[in-house]
Amino acid sequence: MNRLLKIIMIFSAFFICSCLNFNTGSLSFNNNNGIDDKYYGTYEGSITVRENNNLSSQAFVSVMVSSGSAITIRMNGSLINFYNVAYKENIIIISENVYKVSITSSGYKYDFTLSFNNSYMNLSFYANNNTLGEGTLTKIR
C-alpha cells in the first residue's frame, strides 16, 4: 500500500507540473521582444495636437521603427516640438498590433500608443502637461 501511494504521488506530481504552463505565449507580456519586425519601417503623416486650453493645431510626425525595436519619434508643429528614442525594454505589448511606450522629454512624460496595420499606423499620445494628439501615419518605406 505504501509503495502504491508513492507511485501515485509521483505520477500526480508529474501530471500537475505538466499542466502548469507559465509561458503561454500571451501577448500581454513583453518578453523584451519589442515590436514585431513586420512593422519595421518609417511612418510619416500629420496629426492633430490639442493643448489643455483647447488650442488645436496640426503637427508633422515621423516615426521610425528599426531593428532592435528602437522607436524614433519626431513631431514638429506650432504646439509641439519633440524628438526622442524609445528602446524595446520600454515597449509594452497590448495586442498583436498595438504597442504602448512612455518617454520622458524636457521634463514631461509622453504616453504613446502605436496601432499598426498593413500600410499605416495610428498614433496617439498624452503628455502630463495636458497635451494630446492623434492621427494616422502612412508607411513610406
Side-chain angles (χ1 to χ4, degrees):
M1 182 73 171
N2 193 14
R3 185 175 181 181
L4 181 61
L5 185 60
K6 286 181 183 179
I7 292 173
I8 291 173
M9 294 288 286
I10 290 172
F11 281 117
S12 297
F14 283 120
F15 178 74
I16 290 171
C17 289
S18 68
C19 289
L20 295 176
N21 185 3
F22 294 110
N23 187 7
T24 61
S26 171
L27 294 173
S28 62
F29 296 103
N30 178 2
N31 297 316
N32 286 333
N33 294 331
I35 293 179
D36 193 328
D37 61 357
K38 67 183 172 187
Y39 302 124
Y40 289 178
T42 301
Y43 300 81
E44 291 182 347
S46 176
I47 67 168
T48 302
V49 178
R50 177 165 291 172
E51 283 190 333
N52 61 352
N53 56 6
N54 284 330
L55 289 177
S56 182
S57 73
Q58 295 293 309
F60 176 78
V61 178
S62 175
V63 176
M64 187 172 68
V65 181
S66 58
S67 62
S69 292
I71 303 171
T72 304
I73 301 173
R74 181 184 312 246
M75 295 187 287
N76 294 312
S78 63
L79 297 178
I80 192 162
N81 189 12
F82 178 91
Y83 176 79
N84 218 316
V85 179
Y87 299 97
K88 71 179 182 178
E89 294 81 13
N90 301 340
I91 298 170
I92 300 169
I93 301 172
I94 303 301
S95 69
E96 181 182 340
N97 66 326
V98 179
Y99 301 85
K100 289 193 178 249
V101 63
S102 293
I103 301 173
T104 301
S105 178
S106 301
Y108 298 111
K109 180 181 176 192
Y110 293 81
D111 294 318
F112 291 94
T113 301
L114 297 86
S115 177
F116 293 93
N117 290 298
N118 292 334
S119 60
Y120 65 93
M121 170 183 57
N122 291 319
L123 173 80
S124 63
F125 75 90
Y126 175 79
N128 64 352
N129 64 351
N130 292 325
T131 301
L132 55 92
E134 63 182 341
T136 301
L137 310 178
T138 304
K139 187 173 186 177
I140 61 167
R141 57 187 141 176

